[in-house]
Amino acid sequence: MDKADLQKNIGFIVATSLVIGTVIGSGIFMKPGIVIASAGDSTMALWAWVIGGIITLASGLTIAEVSVKIPKTGGLYAYLEEVYGKFWGFLCGWVQTIIYGPAVIGAIGLYFGSLVAGLFGFSDNSKTIIGIISVIFLCIVNLLGTQYGGFIQSLSTFGKLVPIALIAVFGIWQGDVPVFGMESESSQAVSMGAAVLATLWAYDGWINVGFVAGEMKNPAKTLPKAIITGIIIVMIAYLSVNIAMLHILPANKIVELGPNAAKEAATLLFGEMGGKLIAIGILISIFGALNGKILTFPRIPFAMAEDKLLPGAKWLSRVHPKFKTPVQATILQLVIAIIMMLAGNPDRLSDIAIFTVFLFYGLAFYAVFLLRKNGTDNDHLYKVPLYPVTPIIAILGAIYIVGSTLIHNPVDSLFSIFISLSGLPIYKMVKSQKTKTTIRKVS
């Protein structure tokens, strides 16, 4: 189905809610301690959240124009293939299949397991098992039909907003701990790049905002307004929660508590029972974020397999005859995610995921300049505001994240690049097989 065939019934309110819904997930509850520890003190940590929001806003506005100019399904994979050729499209899809998607699923699964273990007093060793069981359960649910995963997604949207609103409002109102200039007292090296990288995990999901442009009543006006409004609301929510938590707990305590800081803040605000209810709301939010990733990420290897761009394409492109879901592609993502969950901690997995995807985001941002130069039939639909400043900010943000991560975490960065480049022989092999198949058909 082409975008032109879709009903144009999405207005400003729905589009804005989609932006907010796709961005807010686990990061706001999991990353405050990491951001403070990396930034060195509470003031710089808040600036990291602002910088991450600005990069996200510029990125969303830029990718929206790319989305409108290239009205194809497949997201980043489709954009790079259209602008830079099949090889770059393949490499992007390969990285999303082998590293980014599984790392995101694995990290959220481990965060969920950590919170469940903390809430119910289970041993620290149980969090990985709980995370893996949760990932397997949601994979099964989504394989039985997208309507079940969709129900979980709708339920979790409400769940994610309740703890954010309550912690932000009551924390700012009732807290009495100084917010600014409080040292993290962390032994780790100060790195603003690492701090911003951690915030970008919380802002991740903005890539999806341009996908619904073809279904908007007036994308030229609605899309930029929805992106700007949605991301600003997310920025305000994130800053409010961080200020509230810093107003309730000392900065060094937030670092010490890590993923359990939001639960502890809620307990101090609302008592033991209230804290548990807020913690359950946080769990619902993270569970929904995990469900959304499991629902969507397998579509990338499935789409590549349909194009015969992966080994075992025939197997990976199969759809269940009854449930109409991509079973094998989902199982592939599940297996890789579980291996990552057993091998690494969630903060490490989330950093690897953001680093690898920003390698390709930079190319997607630069594509705006190439598309403007060549011109398309959709030029009248939407143009990124403040061109060329906005895409330049997005590109500089991507360079900053990639460069600072290479400097401060060279081992994981180089490993990620190595795995990415492992797609080169795979691409040559697949291309060779496709050529042989074509020759056989011709002869």
Side-chain angles (χ1 to χ4, degrees):
M1 180 182 285
D2 193 274
K3 284 189 178 182
D5 300 325
L6 298 171
Q7 284 188 324
K8 298 182 182 295
N9 52 13
I10 293 180
F12 170 71
I13 299 296
V14 174
T16 303
S17 68
L18 285 171
V19 174
I20 296 169
T22 54
V23 172
I24 294 178
S26 64
I28 182 55
F29 306 115
M30 300 293 99
K31 289 297 186 179
I34 296 292
V35 176
I36 294 169
S38 300
D41 64 62
S42 58
T43 304
M44 294 307 294
L46 292 173
W47 273 113
W49 286 99
V50 172
I51 293 168
I54 291 170
I55 292 172
T56 303
L57 183 58
S59 302
L61 289 168
T62 302
I63 215 71
E65 179 168 334
V66 177
S67 172
V68 169
K69 289 181 183 295
I70 304 175
K72 292 183 176 181
T73 56
L76 192 62
Y77 159 63
Y79 305 153
L80 296 189
E81 183 180 72
E82 178 73 18
V83 177
Y84 299 104
K86 288 191 177 295
F87 168 71
W88 286 103
F90 166 84
L91 201 59
C92 175
W94 170 257
V95 167
Q96 287 180 299
T97 298
I98 300 298
I99 306 177
Y100 176 69
V104 170
I105 291 170
I108 298 176
L110 289 174
Y111 284 136
F112 182 79
S114 178
L115 285 184
V116 170
L119 179 62
F120 294 102
F122 298 144
S123 68
D124 198 51
N125 295 330
S126 66
K127 59 187 181 184
T128 302
I129 298 170
I130 295 168
I132 290 172
I133 291 171
S134 303
V135 169
I136 293 172
F137 169 75
L138 284 174
C139 278
I140 293 170
V141 169
N142 280 285
L143 287 176
L144 293 175
T146 53
Q147 70 271 25
Y148 300 110
F151 173 76
I152 292 173
Q153 206 60 32
S154 300
L155 180 66
S156 67
T157 300
F158 176 74
K160 74 174 66 178
L161 297 176
V162 171
I164 288 175
L166 290 175
I167 292 173
V169 172
F170 286 93
I172 292 172
W173 177 28
Q174 296 183 0
D176 56 6
V177 177
V179 172
F180 300 101
M182 303 304 292
E183 297 291 328
S184 70
E185 299 182 14
S186 171
S187 58
Q188 82 176 61
V190 174
S191 166
M192 199 61 178
V196 174
L197 181 72
T199 70
L200 289 171
W201 169 259
Y203 285 113
D204 193 39
W206 56 264
I207 187 70
N208 300 319
V209 301
F211 294 175
V212 294
E215 299 166 70
M216 289 182 182
K217 295 173 184 176
N218 187 349
K221 291 183 178 180
T222 304
L223 191 57
K225 282 170 61 180
I227 292 170
I228 292 168
T229 306
I231 293 178
I232 286 176
I233 288 172
V234 171
M235 285 177 65
I236 291 170
Y238 286 2
L239 283 169
S240 299
V241 168
N242 276 275
I243 290 169
M245 287 177 61
L246 286 164
H247 210 26
I248 303 163
L249 296 166
N252 62 322
K253 190 68 176 176
I254 295 174
V255 174
E256 180 189 328
L257 288 166
N260 293 303
K263 175 183 174 290
E264 180 66 20
T267 301
L268 291 173
L269 283 173
F270 307 110
E272 193 67 34
M273 182 55 69
K276 285 186 176 180
L277 289 173
I278 295 296
I280 290 169
I282 293 171
L283 283 173
I284 292 171
S285 170
I286 296 173
F287 196 66
L290 180 59
N291 177 73
K293 306 305 183 186
I294 291 171
L295 178 67
T296 55
F297 282 150
R299 271 63 185 173
I300 298 168
F302 176 74
M304 292 183 71
E306 282 197 312
D307 292 339
K308 294 181 173 52
L309 287 174
L310 285 176
K314 189 176 180 180
W315 182 78
L316 285 171
S317 61
R318 285 179 187 166
V319 175
H320 193 279
K322 180 179 178 181
F323 304 123
K324 306 299 181 185
T325 51
V327 177
Q328 280 82 350
T330 302
I331 291 172
L332 173 67
Q333 295 281 272
L334 170 66
V335 170
I336 301 173
I338 290 174
I339 292 170
M340 287 185 169
M341 293 171 81
L342 292 170
N345 66 66
D347 293 323
R348 190 176 184 183
L349 292 182
S350 63
D351 285 351
I352 288 172
I354 297 302
F355 171 77
T356 51
V357 81
F358 262 87
L359 291 171
F360 295 93
Y361 280 166
L363 289 173
F365 302 149
Y366 184 69
V368 168
F369 295 99
L370 300 177
L371 291 167
R372 286 264 185 126
K373 183 179 178 182
N374 296 332
T376 68
D377 295 335
N378 299 328
D379 286 346
H380 64 286
L381 290 178
Y382 166 79
K383 290 187 176 182
V384 58
L386 301 178
Y387 178 90
V389 175
T390 301
I392 287 173
I393 291 172
I395 293 167
L396 291 175
I399 293 170
Y400 174 66
I401 292 304
V402 171
S404 62
T405 308
L406 275 167
I407 292 168
H408 292 99
N409 192 358
V411 175
D412 284 348
S413 301
L414 292 174
F415 173 74
S416 300
I417 291 171
F418 173 76
I419 297 297
S420 302
L421 293 177
S422 70
L424 291 171
I426 301 295
Y427 177 74
K428 288 183 178 180
M429 181 185 75
V430 170
K431 190 177 178 183
S432 175
Q433 287 178 346
K434 288 182 75 175
T435 302
K436 289 177 182 177
T437 304
T438 305
I439 291 170
R440 285 196 205 101
K441 285 182 178 178
V442 172
S443 59

